[in-house]
Amino acid sequence: MSDKNGSGGKPDVEALREEIKQTRAELGETVQALAAKADVKARAKEQVEVTKQKARAQLHDATGKVRDAATTAAAAATGKVKAATAQAEQKVALANDKVRESGTVDTVLDKAPEQVRRNPVNYAALLAAGVALVGIILIVRGRRR
């Protein structure tokens, strides 16, 4: 009984004050935590922010994947176009050689003036079409200004 009465020694006033201070701090933290849980609006805003951050991260990842895929596709397409161009150039060169060997171009160029002399209507029609085209172009340009 003497221990409870304090006859064995008085409780340290400073220790009691420190314990009270610590209890108040813990109680304050508990009240703040309960208030935060009770604040539905703030919790909803936090959840919205978390969702926005997740969406931004997913968008960033998806953008990177799309860029990588586009780069890969562009590189593959470029390679295919280069190969097709080289093949077409080879075929054109081969066709050119065959035409030159056959002498068809020279024959056509040699016969062209003679054909115009024999049938001047075709030449005149071609010339009239060219003049009409130039006239149309000039009229259209005049209206734009």
Side-chain angles (χ1 to χ4, degrees):
M1 188 166 165
S2 61
D3 287 343
K4 289 185 180 181
N5 290 342
S7 60
K10 289 187 177 180
D12 189 13
V13 175
E14 286 300 318
L16 285 175
R17 285 185 181 159
E18 188 61 36
E19 188 178 333
I20 290 170
K21 188 177 180 181
Q22 184 179 357
T23 303
R24 282 184 182 160
E26 289 174 2
L27 183 61
E29 290 175 8
T30 304
V31 168
Q32 284 179 347
L34 288 172
K37 284 188 176 186
D39 190 3
V40 176
K41 188 175 181 180
R43 289 176 56 197
K45 284 183 180 180
E46 287 176 18
Q47 187 62 34
V48 167
E49 272 307 310
V50 168
T51 304
K52 281 183 184 178
Q53 292 300 326
K54 286 181 183 178
R56 286 183 184 132
Q58 288 176 348
L59 177 65
H60 182 70
D61 291 346
T63 302
K65 288 179 182 177
V66 167
R67 282 185 183 149
D68 292 344
T71 302
T72 303
T78 301
K80 288 181 180 179
V81 167
K82 285 181 181 179
T85 302
Q87 187 178 13
E89 286 174 351
Q90 289 175 352
K91 288 183 179 181
V92 166
L94 182 63
N96 248 347
D97 291 343
K98 286 184 179 181
V99 167
R100 284 190 183 143
E101 286 175 7
S102 70
T104 306
V105 173
D106 294 333
T107 305
V108 169
L109 290 177
D110 289 340
K111 291 182 181 179
E114 182 183 324
Q115 288 178 349
V116 169
R117 272 186 241 122
R118 271 193 266 153
N119 195 356
V121 175
N122 289 340
Y123 180 70
L126 184 62
L127 185 62
V131 169
L133 181 62
V134 169
I136 291 171
I137 291 172
L138 291 175
I139 290 170
V140 169
R141 280 190 177 175
R143 288 185 181 172
R144 285 187 186 169
R145 291 182 187 175

